[in-house]
């Protein structure tokens, strides 16, 4: 080994604590980066593989009833690869020990084997025997929510007839990765399930022998999806087709895509910010580290080492430190990435997880870390070699201190000499002090950014279910029903207030933009469904025209007063023109609203309702559920609040993992920055402090001079960190705007408090570590060496 | 004040190593302007052992730094052989230091993380025709301390390592800035003996700056600097050996 390399190695070992702290800063950035991106890539890859292996359809079309012979017509559509027909029904279930009404989709299994498309992934048991009318396969999440296993029984009302069914298997389906009831915003595994049974008995129950009411197809590579959909709609229209939808609009896929899209924002914006902060801090720390080597650099130059050789020499040292960080970060990132992927695999019903670690992710993290570190090194080395060696070897000129602002204001008698030294030192080197403050505040800002989500979600739910929607439950009819039916609901004991509503699937078009959603018909002066303006004040639904959620209006780029084309996606599928009257603030969903009577008129129907919102006496809830189950036209009961609670209980696990890790690594970064800043300050000032000791200062006094400065800088950094954290969180919130939900920028006090606490704790721990070195300062050495 | 040219009688032009004319150096120190050198004319000759004397602030260190290519003049010319150091680029100065000059500093400036031997290797590894590091250490009488770190050596030993490091590349010129300044007299003499030995045995042109007038007695030539000017210069007819010095 060359002497220069030995020098490197020994110096590296000599500064291991500091090197470790620096490595931890960049390692944390790398780990978050790799964790997020590998989890995201893994989820995308897992979904693709699952779709491919299980032949997830490209197009789905529902209809009233068509004979099987129609398949040959469909087959003739150019571009279609495979076709599968089936019978689908919506049923209500009775599950022992669970009072609330449960609804489910009941799908026919293919006549033989796994079938061609949307193949099930059997987790347990077997498929139902062909022809058996009492055997079902149940979606795994639903079974888990109710503790059901193969061999258990449940009762279903199939086309008005109650039937006891035995579970023979638990399965997953690519169609229900995100298992969500139609019209719901959140999955509710307790109140909505998916069941499969043999086709023959199911078809018989619905008079569908020799027929089907749903067809799904896959496309050839070269086919035009829209052409196929148009063809299919033409063929199915006489059979009550309600319009084929592409995979992009399929419920599970759409929600999953939105979730992944949101995750993608999280997984790119967040780690990039995090990484950038780590890189900035790395740069600061490395620059100061090299500055300490000023004299050695001058000596090497005096021997005839060129600037480039000196730069390479220090780059090697920095590379050693950064390598430790990058390698550690990659290891931790992969491990956490697997953990996060597994959590999401479980959260979305994926049967397996394929962990993907793209080389370019690792390369990007490495190149960026190394690049930033080398840049910082070169910059500092450049500054060091710019000085003629003679000057470099000379101890730095005593810097010129000025009277501080405090002293100019003649306030100094309030402060001791050491305090005045602290203030002068900070004021003398404003840039250095500022960089330290910025470094610490950025560390606390990323901790805030990690913590802001939870409060935001609580707030979202509070607004939606505390101010806007006030019902206790929503009863949904099997089909639009006259408003007279509300009387029978009002007569149920314990029901305090009932309000009918109409909900109709539509496609809104404005200029070339369109969006599939629902129009909600709301009665005037509604007490249970209230629209909010931007200040969250309740506003009345106008008697005419349409109200859109703010987000949707922006997305369609439509302004009040302009006409929107509304294609009704049920019944006669008419197309009407409705003016936009106003917008409403909503964090969840992207819906449209109309006065109920106006919607009825537009649909050319009487006073039809799709269901009712109920306000009930909490004591009688169970009796009300029982009563609702007895009403045949009620397809299901939705209790949004509990759905959301359940969703977020599951989600909390993921969020906890993510925020837990990011908070932890944010704390690591905070510690790394504080510790390094202190360590470097100690090196820079040890001579000065030891001289003070020689002059008779006590250990406590020089400790105060050094650490007091840091205490002051840390305190200055906290409010700045809050400001930066608020900004970063705002940026994150802005980035995760989707049509499913908008995240409000809500930062609770505990988020502020926690970020400050982490920084203060880091400062205290660092101080204790530095204090040990401080009290061991060698006074004699100071007297001996030059001044 | 008129500047006298200080040329020893025995020297001829071809023996000139350094050729200095009108050398001026001005520093900006905070808000004060300091004239460290104020127009010096001087020639140094091959194989000569020169002592530069002067109080602190007289400009002797500045002169040495400029001769060593560690600093550049504000005005005037410095020639080294055929090279012009006045207008040399940073890269040329680096090459010059790398192959022609050895330095000894008052505070040794050893690299603390390297042993005595390795401190020398740092220089020999980049030199054209260096001696063996161990040989250099033996030359200064430290053949038995090769694996010691600077912190394990006395001040005199550290300075001798520094001398060994300076001469190991077999430089044309050895420049020493207060080499005994941090040492007691006994140790100082050992260091000076090492310097004289190098000068005699290797024929290295040596310039030593000191504020210790006693050392002048061992020099071939003595130059006095006062306030950035040469105030006195003379040739020593019979230099004595360091062990006879008194200070």
């Amino acid at each position: 080994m060359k002497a220069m390399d030995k020098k490197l190695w020994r110096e590296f070992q000599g500064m291991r604590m500091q090197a470790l702290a620096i490595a931890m800063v960049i390692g944390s950035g790398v780990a978050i980066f790799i964790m997020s991106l590998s989890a995201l890539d893994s989820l995308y890859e897992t979904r693709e593989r699952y779709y491919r292996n299980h032949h997830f359809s490209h197009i789905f079309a529902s209809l009233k009833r068509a004979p099987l012979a129609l398949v040959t017509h469909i087959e003739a559509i150019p571009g279609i690869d495979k076709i599968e027909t089936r019978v689908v029904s919506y049923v209500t279930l009775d599950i022992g020990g669970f009072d609330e009404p449960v609804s489910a989709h009941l799908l026919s299994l293919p006549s033989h084997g796994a079938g061609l498309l949307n193949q099930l992934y059997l987790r347990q048991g077997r498929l139902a025997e062909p022809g058996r009318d009492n055997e079902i396969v149940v979606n795994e999440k639903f079974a888990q929510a109710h503790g059901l296993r193969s061999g258990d029984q449940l009762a279903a009302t199939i086309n008005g007839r109650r039937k006891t069914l035995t579970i023979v298997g638990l399965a997953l389906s690519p169609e229900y990765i995100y298992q969500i009831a139609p019209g719901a915003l959140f999955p509710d595994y307790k109140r909505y399930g998916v069941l499969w049974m043999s086709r023959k008995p199911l078809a018989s129950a619905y008079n569908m022998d020799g027929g089907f009411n749903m067809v799904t197809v896959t496309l050839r590579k070269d086919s035009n999806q829209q052409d196929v959909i148009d063809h299919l709609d033409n063929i199915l229209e006489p059979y009550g087709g309600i319009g084929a939808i592409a995979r992009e609009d399929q419920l599970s896929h759409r929600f999953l895509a939105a979730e992944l899209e949101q995750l993608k924002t999280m997984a790119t914006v967040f780690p990039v910010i995090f990484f950038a902060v780590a890189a900035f801090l790395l740069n600061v720390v490395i620059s100061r580290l090299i500055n300490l080597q000023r004299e050695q650099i001058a000596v090497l130059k005096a021997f005839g080492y060129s600037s480039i050789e000196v730069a390479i020499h220090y780059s090697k040292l920095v590379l050693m430190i950064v390598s430790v960080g990058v390698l550690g970060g990659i290891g931790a990132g992969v491990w956490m990435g697997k953990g996060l992927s597994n959590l999401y695999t479980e959260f979305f019903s994926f049967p397996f997880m394929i962990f993907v670690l793209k080389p370019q992710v690792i390369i990007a993290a490495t190149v960026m870390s190394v690049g930033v570190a080398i840049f910082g090194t070169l910059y500092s080395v450049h500054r060091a070699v710019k000085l003629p060696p003679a000057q470099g070897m000379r101890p730095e000129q005593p810097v010129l201190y000025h009277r501080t602002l405090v002293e100019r204001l003649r306030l100094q008698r309030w402060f001791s000499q050491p305090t005045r030294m602290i203030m002068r030192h900070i004021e003398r080197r404003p840039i250095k002090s500022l960089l330290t403050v910025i470094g610490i505040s950025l560390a606390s800002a990323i901790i805030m950014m990690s913590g802001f989500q939870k409060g935001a979600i609580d707030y979202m739910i509070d607004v939606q279910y505390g101010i806007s929607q006030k019902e206790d439950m929503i009863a949904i009819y099997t089909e639009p029903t006259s408003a007279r039916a509300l009387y029978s609901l009002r007569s149920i004991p314990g029901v305090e207030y009932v309000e009918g509503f109409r909900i109709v699937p539509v496609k809104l078009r404005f200029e070339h933009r369109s969006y599939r959603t629902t129009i909600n018909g709301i009665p005037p002066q509604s007490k249970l469904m209230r629209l909010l303006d931007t200040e969250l004040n309740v506003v009345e639904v106008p008697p005419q025209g349409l109200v859109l959620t703010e987000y949707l209006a922006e997305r369609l780029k439509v302004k009040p007063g302009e006409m929107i084309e509304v294609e009704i996606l049920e019944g006669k599928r008419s197309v009407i023109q409705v003016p936009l009257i106003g917008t409403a603030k909503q964090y969840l969903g992207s819906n449209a609203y109309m006065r109920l009577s106006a919607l009825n008129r537009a649909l050319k129907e009487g006073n039809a309702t799709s269901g009712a919102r109920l306000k009930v006496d909490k004591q009688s809830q169970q009796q009300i559920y029982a009563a609702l189950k007895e009403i045949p036209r009620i397809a299901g009961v939705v209790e949004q609040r509990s759905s959301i609670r359940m969703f977020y209980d599951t989600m909390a696990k993921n969020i906890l993992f993510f925020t837990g890790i990011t908070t932890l690594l944010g704390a690591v970064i905070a510690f790394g920055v504080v510790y390094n800043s202190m360590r470097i300050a100690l090196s820079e000032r040890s001579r000065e402090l030891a001289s003070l000791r020689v002059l008779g200062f006590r250990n406590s006094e020089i400790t105060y001079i050094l650490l007091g400065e840091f205490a002051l800088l840390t305190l200055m950094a906290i409010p700045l960190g809050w400001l930066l954290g608020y900004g970063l969180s705002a940026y994150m919130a802005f980035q995760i705007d989707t049509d499913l939900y908008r995240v409000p920028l809500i930062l609770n006090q505990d988020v502020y408090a926690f970020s400050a606490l982490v920084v203060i704790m880091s400062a205290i721990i660092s101080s204790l570590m530095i204090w040990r070195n401080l009290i061991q300062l060698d006074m004699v050495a100071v007297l001996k060496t030059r001044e | 004040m008129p500047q006298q040219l200080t040329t020893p009688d025995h020297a001829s032009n071809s023996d000139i190593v350094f050729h200095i004319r009108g050398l001026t150096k001005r520093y900006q120190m905070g808000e004060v302007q300091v004239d460290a050198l104020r127009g010096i004319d001087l020639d140094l000759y091959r194989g000569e052992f020169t002592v530069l004397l002067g109080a602190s602030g007289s400009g002797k260190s500045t002169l040495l730094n400029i001769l060593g290519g560690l600093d550049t003049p504000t005005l005037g010319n410095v020639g080294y052989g055929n090279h012009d150091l006045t207008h040399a680029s940073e890269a040329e100065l680096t090459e010059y230091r790398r192959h022609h000059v050895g330095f000894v500093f008052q505070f040794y400036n050893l690299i603390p993380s390297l042993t005595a031997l390795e401190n020398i290797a740092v220089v020999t590894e980049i030199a054209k025709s260096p001696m063996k590091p161990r040989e250099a250490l033996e030359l200064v009488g430290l053949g038995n301390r090769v694996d010691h770190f600077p912190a394990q050596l006395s001040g005199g030993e550290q300075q001798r390592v520094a001398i060994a490091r300076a001469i190991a590349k077999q430089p044309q010129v050895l420049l020493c800035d207060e080499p005994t300044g941090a040492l007691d007299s006994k140790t100082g003499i050992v260091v000076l003996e090492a310097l004289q030995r190098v000068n005699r045995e290797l024929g290295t042109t040596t310039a030593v700056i000191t504020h210790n007038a006693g050392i002048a007695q061992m020099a071939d030539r003595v130059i006095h600097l006062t306030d950035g000017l040469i105030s006195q210069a003379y040739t020593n007819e019979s230099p004595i050996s360091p062990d006879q010095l008194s200070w």
Side-chain angles (χ1 to χ4, degrees):
Chain A
M1 208 198 294
K2 281 181 145 192
M4 285 285 269
D5 293 330
K6 280 188 193 157
K7 165 179 180 298
L8 270 192
W9 180 240
R10 296 206 184 113
E11 284 172 1
F12 178 69
Q13 287 179 318
M15 51 180 281
R16 358 179 232 287
M17 259 317 286
Q18 211 177 339
L20 189 68
I22 298 172
M24 273 168 16
V25 169
I26 195 66
S28 301
V30 170
I32 290 283
F33 190 76
I34 289 181
M35 171 186 86
S36 305
L37 291 182
S38 67
L40 188 70
D41 288 335
S42 302
L43 281 170
Y44 275 111
E45 178 61 28
T46 302
R47 184 183 71 173
E48 269 334 289
R49 195 79 65 89
Y50 187 26
Y51 279 179
R52 203 166 53 236
N53 293 356
H54 288 253
H55 305 282
F56 184 50
S57 299
H58 290 116
I59 295 173
F60 303 78
S62 296
L63 53 145
K64 279 260 184 232
R65 184 191 188 281
L68 278 171
L70 200 65
V71 171
T72 48
H73 281 77
I74 298 171
E75 269 168 353
I77 298 174
I80 284 188
D81 185 29
K82 292 196 184 87
I83 305 177
E84 195 153 77
T85 64
R86 63 186 178 197
V87 176
V88 178
S89 69
Y90 201 57
V91 299
T92 54
L93 304 180
D94 226 333
I95 293 163
F98 190 70
D99 297 324
E100 299 175 38
V102 177
S103 55
H105 267 113
L106 183 55
L107 282 72
S108 64
L109 286 166
S111 318
H112 28 256
L116 296 173
L117 302 177
N118 310 312
Q119 293 168 349
L120 298 186
Y121 181 95
L122 210 53
R123 274 277 211 222
Q124 200 191 92
R126 56 172 172 86
L127 294 177
E129 290 282 342
R132 287 280 180 84
D133 66 350
N134 61 348
E135 290 187 353
I136 48 166
V137 175
V138 175
N139 186 290
E140 190 189 36
K141 276 262 187 298
F142 178 73
Q144 279 169 353
H146 289 284
L148 296 171
R149 320 172 64 187
S150 294
D152 288 344
Q153 293 190 327
L154 52 84
T157 308
I158 301 173
N159 206 12
R161 261 189 302 241
R162 191 182 156 93
K163 192 149 181 56
T164 302
L165 303 167
T166 304
I167 298 169
V168 295
L170 304 185
L172 303 176
S173 158
E175 280 182 275
Y176 295 96
I177 296 172
Y178 204 91
Q179 184 188 316
I180 191 162
L185 279 173
F186 299 97
D188 185 339
Y189 306 123
K190 269 193 141 67
R191 294 169 190 82
Y192 170 74
V194 182
L195 319 174
W196 291 268
M197 90 187 275
S198 168
R199 178 162 184 159
K200 212 160 175 245
L202 183 60
S204 304
Y206 287 93
N207 303 318
M208 255 330 146
D209 295 298
F212 62 94
N213 65 358
M214 187 165 187
V215 58
T216 72
V217 305
T218 49
L219 299 175
R220 288 205 205 97
K221 279 224 164 64
D222 53 346
S223 60
N224 180 322
Q225 181 168 282
Q226 195 52 46
D227 284 354
V228 176
I229 288 178
D230 292 344
H231 266 107
L232 204 54
D233 282 349
N234 278 336
I235 294 174
L236 296 177
E237 211 199 329
Y239 301 94
I242 59 161
I245 56 167
R247 186 189 272 187
E248 293 74 60
D249 286 320
Q250 197 261 354
L251 216 48
S252 158
H253 179 91
R254 195 171 145 226
F255 274 79
L256 181 61
E259 283 286 347
L260 290 186
E261 194 58 36
Q262 195 233 321
L263 186 65
K264 188 176 180 174
T265 315
M266 284 292 291
T268 47
V269 176
F270 188 90
V272 166
I273 293 175
F274 202 97
F275 194 76
V277 169
F280 168 78
L281 297 176
L282 178 70
N283 188 308
V284 171
V285 169
I286 293 280
S287 305
R288 297 184 67 178
L289 192 70
I290 301 294
N291 276 348
L292 285 183
Q293 299 269 339
R294 198 181 113 115
E295 285 180 31
Q296 287 213 14
I297 290 174
V299 172
L300 290 175
K301 287 278 289 175
F303 295 158
Y305 277 87
S306 69
S307 302
I308 293 171
E309 285 166 320
V310 172
I312 292 174
H313 177 70
Y314 284 100
S315 298
K316 280 191 200 163
L317 176 68
V318 168
L319 275 183
M320 278 161 81
I321 298 172
V322 171
S323 306
V324 173
V326 169
L327 289 177
I330 290 174
V334 169
W335 182 70
M336 298 185 310
K338 280 188 179 161
L340 190 62
S341 307
N342 277 325
L343 272 177
Y344 271 100
T345 305
E346 211 179 294
F347 179 65
F348 304 121
S349 307
F350 282 119
F352 48 78
M353 196 271 286
I354 297 160
F355 185 71
V356 179
L357 184 61
K358 287 189 181 159
Q360 53 266 46
V361 172
I362 290 190
I363 291 169
T366 309
V367 166
M368 283 191 279
S369 311
V370 169
V372 161
I374 294 294
F375 177 78
T377 311
L378 294 186
Y379 176 72
S380 311
V381 169
H382 172 73
R383 275 201 347 198
V385 298
K386 228 173 34 185
L387 291 175
Q391 218 170 319
M393 273 183 294
R394 213 172 292 146
E396 270 189 275
Q397 275 297 310
V399 286
L400 186 61
Y401 286 86
H402 290 283
R403 290 179 179 282
T404 58
L405 184 65
V406 171
E407 286 161 303
R408 287 195 294 275
L409 295 173
R410 299 183 181 282
L411 300 172
Q412 67 263 42
R413 63 201 167 92
W414 301 101
F415 300 101
S416 65
Q417 190 59 41
T419 307
R420 273 184 266 167
M421 284 175 73
I422 290 174
M423 290 188 299
R424 282 181 201 161
H425 196 256
I426 290 176
E427 264 200 41
R428 176 59 187 76
R429 313 178 102 169
I431 302 287
K432 211 172 237 179
S433 304
L434 187 70
L435 280 179
T436 306
V437 170
I438 291 177
I440 299 173
S441 55
L442 274 174
S444 80
I446 51 179
I447 295 172
M448 271 180 77
M449 188 172 74
S450 315
F452 105 94
Q453 274 204 86
K454 214 189 141 326
I457 288 168
D458 289 344
Y459 180 81
M460 245 159 78
I461 294 174
D462 281 352
V463 169
Q464 190 76 24
Y465 296 99
I467 310 179
S468 180
Q469 279 175 254
K470 307 281 278 182
E471 82 279 338
D472 294 317
M473 57 181 80
I474 301 175
I476 297 165
Y477 300 142
T478 47
E479 53 189 354
T481 304
S482 158
R484 278 193 302 272
L486 297 177
Y487 292 116
S488 58
L489 293 177
R490 288 198 182 103
S491 64
I492 299 173
V495 172
E496 291 168 348
Y497 185 74
V498 176
E499 212 173 84
F501 68 89
R502 181 77 171 97
I503 191 161
V504 59
V506 294
K507 195 167 200 172
L508 303 179
R509 258 186 223 101
F510 184 72
E511 292 169 352
H512 60 279
R513 292 171 291 275
S514 66
Y515 187 78
R516 237 180 136 101
T517 180
T518 55
I519 297 181
N520 293 254
I522 306 173
Q525 271 113 45
S526 167
K527 285 182 185 154
L528 300 185
M529 173 70 218
R530 309 184 302 174
L531 298 183
L532 306 175
D533 66 12
T534 37
E535 273 79 49
L536 303 184
N537 298 313
V538 175
V539 289
E540 185 56 23
V541 204
Q544 303 292 336
L546 212 53
V547 174
L548 297 186
T549 45
E550 226 176 8
Y551 177 85
L552 185 51
E554 253 165 55
R555 189 168 161 146
L556 290 174
K557 293 201 172 69
V558 56
K559 283 191 265 314
E562 292 177 316
M563 292 297 259
I564 298 175
E565 185 182 284
V566 179
E567 183 186 345
I568 312 287
L569 296 179
E570 70 167 44
K572 296 190 231 19
R573 301 180 60 89
S574 50
V575 176
I576 53 176
Q577 303 288 328
V578 186
L580 177 70
I581 303 297
T583 59
K585 178 91 195 165
Q586 214 149 39
Y587 294 119
L588 297 169
S590 301
N591 294 313
Y593 301 90
M594 272 178 97
R595 180 75 66 91
L596 177 57
S597 51
L599 181 59
N600 285 149
R601 267 201 306 284
L603 292 170
K604 297 195 172 64
E605 60 188 14
N607 55 358
T609 53
S610 308
R613 296 171 194 281
L614 279 67
K615 190 97 195 143
V616 304
D617 172 18
K618 299 276 182 312
Q619 308 290 317
S620 342
Q621 212 155 343
Q622 295 199 354
Q623 291 91 307
I624 295 169
Y625 286 139
L628 289 174
K629 274 188 201 175
E630 295 309 313
I631 303 176
R633 65 175 159 272
I634 288 180
V637 174
V638 178
E639 218 229 294
Q640 300 259 51
R641 233 171 299 200
S642 53
S643 305
I644 289 171
R645 285 272 164 271
M646 196 169 146
F647 178 79
Y648 279 113
D649 283 349
T650 330
M651 188 78 161
K653 231 179 12 178
N654 299 7
I655 292 180
L656 216 64
F657 184 85
F658 195 82
T659 55
I661 280 176
T662 51
T663 307
L664 183 73
L665 293 186
V668 166
I669 287 185
F671 172 77
V673 170
V674 175
Y675 178 75
N676 268 300
S677 304
M678 283 195 186
R679 193 63 239 210
I680 288 166
L682 176 67
S683 313
E684 286 169 348
R685 300 181 66 187
S686 55
R687 191 190 300 275
E688 177 192 338
L689 296 172
S691 307
L692 289 175
R693 290 277 292 123
V694 171
L695 294 177
F697 274 67
R698 294 191 194 94
N699 260 329
S700 58
E701 285 162 330
I702 61 161
T703 305
Y704 172 70
I705 290 171
L706 185 72
L707 300 185
E709 181 183 335
F710 269 91
L712 199 59
L713 293 179
T714 305
L715 289 180
M716 284 157 70
I718 287 171
L720 182 63
W722 286 340
L723 203 68
L724 291 172
Y726 185 85
L728 289 182
S729 304
Y731 181 69
M732 282 284 294
F734 173 73
Q735 288 291 315
I736 45 187
D737 256 15
T738 68
D739 51 347
L740 291 182
Y741 48 86
R742 272 75 58 196
V743 178
L745 179 56
I746 299 298
L747 289 159
N748 294 333
Q749 284 166 344
D750 57 343
V751 176
Y752 287 95
F754 186 72
S755 81
L757 184 73
V758 169
V759 168
I760 291 170
M761 287 306 294
S762 305
I764 290 174
I765 294 170
S766 305
S767 299
L768 289 175
M769 294 171 74
I770 296 292
W771 180 69
R772 274 193 8 230
N773 302 67
L774 204 50
I775 56 172
Q776 287 164 1
L777 275 183
D778 187 350
M779 286 181 272
V780 184
V782 173
L783 293 176
K784 259 200 202 156
T785 50
R786 68 179 139 160
E787 190 45 68
Chain B
M1 196 200 290
Q3 195 65 83
Q4 74 177 102
L5 258 173
T6 55
T7 310
D9 316 326
H10 61 268
S12 73
N13 267 0
S14 64
D15 281 336
I16 294 178
V17 180
F18 286 108
H19 182 72
I20 303 160
R21 290 296 176 271
L23 183 61
T24 302
K25 180 69 185 182
R26 192 165 292 149
Y27 286 115
Q28 195 70 36
M29 291 229 183
E31 290 166 358
V32 199
Q33 205 178 48
V34 179
D35 284 324
L37 294 173
R38 298 190 288 164
I40 283 185
D41 298 333
L42 178 67
D43 290 323
L44 294 182
Y45 295 88
R46 191 171 310 284
E48 204 181 21
F49 193 114
T50 310
V51 166
L52 296 157
L53 281 174
S56 61
S58 62
K60 53 190 193 311
S61 287
T62 306
L63 175 60
L64 198 79
N65 287 337
I66 292 174
L67 292 183
L70 294 178
D71 212 342
T72 48
T74 313
L75 281 174
N77 283 303
V78 181
Y80 167 76
N82 300 323
H83 305 280
D84 177 11
L85 295 183
T86 326
H87 302 104
S89 68
E90 170 55 31
E92 285 164 341
L93 284 180
T94 299
E95 283 306 298
Y96 166 65
R97 292 196 300 267
R98 188 173 192 139
H99 301 301
H100 300 275
V101 191
F103 281 105
V104 177
F105 307 105
Q106 181 179 3
F107 294 108
Y108 337 131
N109 281 325
L110 297 180
I111 293 172
S113 55
L114 296 180
T115 62
L117 194 73
E118 290 161 353
N119 258 291
I120 295 163
V122 163
V123 173
T124 57
E125 278 166 5
I126 58 167
K128 268 182 191 152
S129 54
M131 59 176 86
K132 293 222 165 61
R134 190 177 287 272
E135 229 174 275
L137 275 177
E138 276 159 6
L139 201 64
V140 296
L142 287 176
N144 56 338
R145 309 289 269 168
V146 286
D147 290 326
H148 288 64
F149 283 95
Q152 297 167 313
L153 298 171
S154 73
E157 286 172 327
Q158 287 187 55
Q159 192 60 299
R160 275 143 72 200
V161 173
I163 293 171
R165 181 174 65 178
I167 54 141
K169 69 166 84 154
Q170 314 224 41
Q172 305 291 311
V173 192
L174 182 58
L175 302 174
C176 312
D177 188 349
E178 298 275 12
T180 58
L183 304 171
D184 59 73
S185 63
K186 206 172 140 203
T187 321
I189 285 166
V190 177
V191 167
L192 291 173
E193 278 173 336
L195 283 178
Q196 193 176 55
R197 191 168 163 205
V198 169
N199 175 254
R200 301 275 180 266
E201 290 180 15
L202 306 176
T204 314
T205 307
T206 306
V208 174
I209 63 175
T210 177
H211 56 266
N212 184 340
I215 296 174
Q217 296 172 62
M218 66 177 280
D220 294 325
R221 199 148 57 108
V222 181
I223 318 271
H224 277 271
L225 279 117
T226 313
D227 290 338
L229 289 168
I230 295 175
S231 54
Q232 196 191 351
Y234 60 89
T235 307
N236 210 349
E237 294 305 336
S238 48
I240 57 171
S241 81
D243 56 4
Q244 293 169 290
L245 292 177
S246 57
W247 72 71

